Amino acid sequence: MMITLVDYQAGNLTSVRRALAALGIPSRISADAEQVRRAERIIFPGVGAAGAAMTVLRARGLDQALTEAFRAGTPILGICLGCQIILTHSEEDDADGLNLIPGQTLRFRPNDPTLKIPHMGWNEVVVTRPHPLLAHLRRGDEFYFVHSYYPRPERAEDVFAVCEHGIVFPAAIGRANLFAVQFHAEKSGPLGLRLLKNFAKWNA
Amino acid sequence: MLSKRIIACLDVRAGKLAKSVKFVDTKDIGDPVAKARDYYEQGLDELVLYDITASGEGRGILLEVVERVAAQVFIPFSVGGGLRTVEDCRRVLLAGAEKVNLNTAAVQRPELIAEVARAFGSQAVVLSMDVRRVPVSAAIPSGYEIVIYGGRTPTGLDALAWARRGEALGAGEIVVNSMDADGTKQGYELTLTRRIAETVSLPVIASGGGGTPEHLYAALTEGKADAALVASMLHYGEYTVGEIKAYLAGRGLKIRRTGTA
């Protein structure tokens, strides 16, 4: 089994790769649409801005490849920016996303001036619907976040876990063979590594 | 709600862990990678590797340490010490760090903060400032002056003004390191930390002087810090991360629970 990490010049690929290596899970980094289309499993990471990311994805044909892989049933894990641009649209750069899950990416607009943006640090993730990738979580478990925008799927059944930063926002979303987390699983200690391990074994 | 963070600072000199008192008397006290892994397993929230190698020859060793830490420590970590250009920063980020700590080089050329923030995002830029108490003057109205070169050189810059400038230029976090408190284990400089925290809207990390869990509690409440940096307390095995966290949680602070999946 080989996990393909989609390279669209949006950071943190090597961090995810190091985490997989520590778990003994083989992975490769690829920017090639054909390799992504035929991948066994895909991790779609990313940090940075939505507009620039979509431009690179389209230029490399990776938008189509990811859409086809999703429809073909390939297990896909999105992380951070990869949890946002799978939705229909992002407020960041007014960018259209991949629309694999209907919904919007919105900017935090806290009423409380003491709440800092980006939302950066460790925060509690509460499971709202059971999912195999989150099966190890207990009440009070925390993950590491760094983001100024958050995902909001249209349908409540696409949300699997939430977090709170001024508002309660979706922290893990998914549909069928696609799952995505707003937090950095690769930097969230043993709980984050366990999520990656769960993904490697997931029968979507 | 975000948890208060416990950050361990590892001063690395020529690839070895070192610890100073008031910035001098530096001693080598072990392998930084082994320490980093140990603290990670104890439930540490974040790590800072600070290169205090005086000359340029230790650079390659530092990158190797960063890579080795990144291969076995899966929490955020930042690297500082001697980073002068966007390219220097790119190298440590590619080696596996999430953030860079800018200090002396940012004072000498403040645009560096903006350049690094543009290249990698503000979340990757930590402005680390070394501060000492001085008499209040027209140039330094707060009575806190920025010092550089590991505390050897005064700058005439007021710490509060410099913090505001750093925020405007795009820093994402500020480490407030009190030279007066460094290594004394007598507690953080609470007034300084609070005044910086009240001046900027960035997360503020208290540094210098932490000797007991009570000191961290004071920095995170009275000092209004979002995180506290610890070194000696952990390096000499006086406390574990778990003991510090249990104390802080017991006093009612929101702290990430330690333990494994």
Side-chain angles (χ1 to χ4, degrees):
Chain A
M1 196 275 304
M2 169 74 75
I3 293 181
T4 300
L5 301 171
V6 182
D7 176 11
Y8 59 112
Q9 292 175 337
N12 86 333
L13 280 172
T14 49
S15 300
V16 176
R17 188 139 198 250
R18 282 188 194 97
L20 293 172
L23 292 165
I25 300 168
S27 66
R28 66 171 176 191
I29 290 174
S30 178
D32 180 73
E34 199 46 43
Q35 282 187 351
V36 169
R37 206 172 271 121
R38 289 191 313 224
E40 286 172 79
R41 281 170 202 267
I42 295 170
I43 294 185
F44 183 47
V47 291
M54 282 306 297
T55 302
V56 175
L57 286 173
R58 286 197 195 97
R60 295 179 176 177
L62 290 167
D63 56 337
Q64 279 303 320
L66 280 163
T67 303
E68 284 171 36
F70 171 59
R71 291 194 184 130
T74 310
I76 303 175
L77 174 64
I79 297 176
C80 196
L81 183 60
C83 178
Q84 299 178 353
I85 58 183
I86 55 173
L87 296 173
T88 313
H89 182 265
S90 175
E91 267 189 357
E92 187 178 24
D93 307 325
D94 191 22
D96 283 331
L98 297 172
N99 196 29
L100 305 182
I101 295 177
Q104 304 290 319
T105 297
L106 303 174
R107 186 170 171 85
F108 281 115
R109 290 189 181 81
N111 294 320
D112 176 354
T114 66
L115 286 177
K116 294 162 186 176
I117 305 298
H119 171 231
M120 179 161 74
W122 295 87
N123 205 336
E124 185 176 348
V125 169
V126 179
V127 177
T128 51
R129 294 188 60 197
H131 191 283
L133 268 65
L134 305 177
H136 61 298
L137 264 65
R138 295 178 305 152
R139 189 151 190 85
D141 281 342
E142 297 184 24
F143 290 82
Y144 187 73
F145 290 84
V146 185
H147 61 130
S148 300
Y149 295 79
Y150 63 92
R152 199 183 64 188
E154 263 168 36
R155 303 193 331 186
E157 62 261 44
D158 293 337
V159 177
F160 289 88
V162 297
C163 180
E164 194 240 307
H165 185 64
I167 53 162
V168 173
F169 67 90
I173 65 177
R175 181 180 276 201
N177 49 304
L178 170 63
F179 194 72
V181 292
Q182 178 58 58
F183 50 83
H184 286 277
E186 76 282 8
K187 287 288 168 181
S188 291
L191 292 172
L193 293 188
R194 180 65 183 274
L195 191 152
L196 295 175
K197 199 169 166 186
N198 290 347
F199 172 69
K201 294 187 299 192
W202 182 30
N203 292 312
Chain B
M1 191 174 114
L2 288 167
S3 288
K4 299 288 188 182
R5 286 172 282 159
I6 313 301
I7 305 176
C9 183
L10 299 174
D11 284 341
V12 179
R13 184 174 59 184
K16 296 229 168 44
L17 184 61
K19 185 66 200 106
S20 66
V21 175
K22 293 199 176 182
F23 287 28
V24 293
D25 294 339
T26 310
K27 295 188 183 75
D28 290 344
I29 55 171
D31 171 21
V33 182
K35 286 277 192 207
R37 176 70 197 186
D38 185 19
Y39 301 156
Y40 167 69
E41 285 174 353
Q42 290 177 24
L44 184 71
D45 298 319
E46 198 166 319
L47 191 67
V48 182
L49 292 176
Y50 220 88
D51 183 26
I52 59 165
T53 310
S55 65
E57 67 213 44
R59 299 271 100 191
I61 301 173
L62 176 74
L63 286 179
E64 193 194 306
V65 171
V66 172
E67 278 171 9
R68 285 170 58 213
V69 168
Q72 47 185 304
V73 171
F74 302 101
I75 51 175
F77 79 96
S78 63
V79 172
L83 303 175
R84 314 206 137 262
T85 64
V86 169
E87 210 37 54
D88 288 344
C89 294
R90 188 187 309 277
R91 266 184 230 117
V92 298
L93 294 172
L94 282 175
E98 267 66 54
K99 316 179 196 183
V100 291
N101 284 46
L102 303 178
N103 192 328
T104 298
V107 172
Q108 292 171 328
R109 205 172 64 80
E111 301 72 38
L112 178 64
I113 298 170
E115 290 167 11
V116 179
R118 261 199 307 278
F120 310 111
S122 285
Q123 86 291 336
V125 184
V126 184
L127 177 60
S128 186
M129 36 197 249
D130 295 335
V131 184
R132 67 167 187 181
R133 267 192 301 270
V134 292
V136 170
S137 65
I140 305 176
S142 71
Y144 289 106
E145 183 183 21
I146 299 291
V147 291
I148 54 174
Y149 287 119
R152 291 191 298 275
T153 309
T155 63
L157 277 176
D158 185 281
L160 266 53
W162 177 232
R164 267 194 297 272
R165 180 100 197 270
E167 178 175 35
L169 286 166
E173 286 180 285
I174 293 186
V175 174
V176 182
N177 189 31
S178 164
M179 208 187 143
D180 303 295
D182 177 63
T184 63
K185 301 197 208 173
Q186 297 299 305
Y188 297 90
E189 229 281 23
L190 299 179
T191 306
L192 167 67
T193 308
R194 191 186 65 246
R195 290 188 68 185
I196 300 281
E198 288 171 347
T199 296
V200 296
S201 61
L202 303 175
V204 166
I205 300 161
S207 168
T212 67
E214 289 85 344
H215 292 154
L216 278 89
Y217 179 78
L220 297 169
T221 52
E222 203 186 320
K224 297 196 171 181
D226 297 277
L229 214 70
V230 292
S232 317
M233 287 174 72
L234 293 176
H235 299 341
Y236 296 116
E238 291 157 12
Y239 295 92
T240 65
V241 175
E243 285 164 356
I244 297 170
K245 285 190 159 188
Y247 174 85
L248 296 172
R251 297 282 307 262
L253 293 185
K254 187 166 181 282
I255 297 290
R256 179 172 71 107
R257 179 169 66 202
T258 57
T260 52

